[in-house]
């Protein structure tokens, strides 16, 4: 009986420690997680900035910001973001092909939620040719 009680205490201790570590981690709070560019002219790259705040209790470190398409470039805050401070992820989309688009950017970090997904959407339309008279 003592062994059973001791084993339960050990299991509960590990469970409590694991949940406490999760609660003390860094965590994102984005200003937006999806950006709609609307209609953009073909051949004109467009850029947006996703701003986030670390609402956790440990420094937030982004380890990778990876667009799922070669037509999208990401740049981001590479230094640790302290609790209560903000960082930026800048996304540039190369509007080369006329069509609607929906692109995902995968953000990997040491946060409580280790992967976040950001989206950019819009429609690339043919550039209007200047009228000649």
């Amino acid at each position: 009986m003592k062994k059973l009680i001791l084993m339960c205490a050990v299991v509960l201790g590990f469970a409590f420690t694991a949940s406490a570590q999760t609660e003390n981690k860094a965590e994102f709070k984005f200003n937006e997680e999806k950006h709609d560019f609307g209609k953009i002219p073909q051949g004109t790259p467009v850029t947006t900035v996703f701003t986030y705040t670390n609402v956790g209790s440990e420094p937030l470190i982004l380890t990778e910001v990876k667009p799922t398409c070669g037509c999208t470039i990401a740049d981001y805050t590479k230094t640790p973001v302290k609790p209560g401070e903000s960082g930026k992820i800048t996304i540039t989309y190369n509007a080369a092909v006329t069509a609607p688009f929906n692109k995902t950017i995968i953000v990997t970090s040491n946060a409580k939620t280790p992967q976040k997904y950001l989206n950019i959407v819009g429609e690339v339309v043919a550039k209007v040719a200047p009228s000649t008279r």
Side-chain angles (χ1 to χ4, degrees):
M1 185 69 167
K2 286 183 183 180
K3 286 182 181 180
L4 181 60
I5 292 172
L6 182 60
M7 191 179 325
C8 288
V10 169
V11 169
L12 287 174
F14 281 127
F16 179 74
T17 303
S19 68
Q21 287 175 349
T22 301
E23 290 175 16
N24 290 332
K25 285 195 168 236
E27 189 58 61
F28 290 108
K29 180 165 176 48
F30 279 92
N31 62 331
E32 66 175 349
E33 293 184 27
K34 180 178 183 178
H35 180 78
D36 188 347
F37 283 108
K39 294 185 185 238
I40 55 175
Q42 182 180 14
T44 306
V46 290
T47 300
T48 189
V49 177
F50 291 95
T51 303
Y52 61 89
T53 303
N54 179 1
V55 295
S57 59
E58 293 182 6
L60 177 61
I61 301 167
L62 303 188
T63 53
E64 184 177 35
V65 176
K66 184 177 179 181
T68 56
C69 166
C71 55
T72 308
I73 299 170
D75 190 25
Y76 59 96
T77 302
K78 305 217 177 26
T79 56
V81 176
K82 295 177 184 172
E85 294 186 357
S86 297
K88 295 180 182 179
I89 299 173
T90 304
I91 303 297
T92 302
Y93 174 70
N94 181 7
V97 179
T98 57
F101 64 91
N102 182 353
K103 304 298 179 185
T104 302
I105 299 91
I106 304 167
V107 180
T108 306
S109 71
N110 68 327
K112 187 186 308 184
T113 307
Q115 282 195 329
K116 278 280 197 183
Y117 298 92
L118 304 176
N119 290 88
I120 56 170
V121 298
E123 182 178 1
V124 179
V125 295
K127 211 178 237 187
V128 178
S131 56
T132 56
R133 285 192 170 202

